[in-house]
Amino acid sequence: MKKRIFTWPLLLACPLLLSANPGDDVAKILAESKVTGGLIVHLGCETGELLAELGKDERFLVHGLERDSSKLTSVRESIRKNGSYGRVSAERWVDSTRLPYSDNLVNLLLIEDAGKLAEKEILRVLRPLG
């Protein structure tokens, strides 16, 4: 339970941790979270650069959710440019109060735009100690 309390502020602070270099950001995020594989979800993936960088590590399946449909084109282009489409994907997040995942499925949840998402919903999809 202590790990959840530690990672929760980290997830909310994600935009504050980001630099101009997505590769450095990925290294920092993975080191801080101590996640070693599985599903990473990025809420509010904006340009898709961080999403695509996360997908370079083959230990992870990476899924981006973006509320703004006009941003999805650039997000998907970033993924294609990095050659990681398949392991990395992005879609429009229509219901901003619910995440489209089973309970305890997500290993790491990066939040840049939480919308109207409640903490209870976030904890529902995170695996134990996620």
Side-chain angles (χ1 to χ4, degrees):
M1 197 58 131
K2 286 185 180 179
K3 262 209 168 164
R4 274 195 186 160
I5 293 168
F6 172 76
T7 57
W8 179 239
L10 171 68
L11 297 178
L12 287 177
C14 183
L16 303 174
L17 297 174
L18 302 180
S19 67
N21 185 343
D24 290 344
D25 296 337
V26 166
K28 278 189 232 177
I29 290 167
L30 295 178
E32 287 290 322
S33 69
K34 297 182 174 112
V35 67
T36 58
L39 177 62
I40 296 176
V41 174
H42 187 192
L43 300 180
C45 44
E46 294 284 318
T47 63
E49 291 178 14
L50 183 62
L51 192 70
E53 280 295 318
L54 285 163
K56 286 183 176 181
D57 190 328
E58 293 183 6
R59 299 175 299 165
F60 301 105
L61 179 65
V62 184
H63 191 234
L65 294 174
E66 178 56 59
R67 293 187 314 156
D68 186 346
S69 59
S70 64
K71 293 180 182 177
L72 274 178
T73 303
S74 66
V75 168
R76 290 176 175 155
E77 183 57 37
S78 291
I79 296 168
R80 262 192 291 286
K81 196 165 86 175
N82 258 335
S84 52
Y85 230 112
R87 242 183 15 271
V88 180
S89 62
E91 69 179 282
R92 186 157 182 255
W93 184 30
V94 180
D95 182 0
S96 63
T97 62
R98 182 148 173 84
L99 293 168
Y101 308 105
S102 300
D103 295 356
N104 304 315
L105 178 67
V106 178
N107 294 75
L108 178 62
L109 184 61
L110 301 173
I111 302 173
E112 292 193 54
D113 180 5
K116 298 175 184 174
L117 199 58
E119 181 178 354
K120 183 177 179 181
E121 178 64 6
I122 291 168
L123 295 175
R124 179 188 68 80
V125 300
L126 281 172
R127 69 169 179 80
L129 301 176

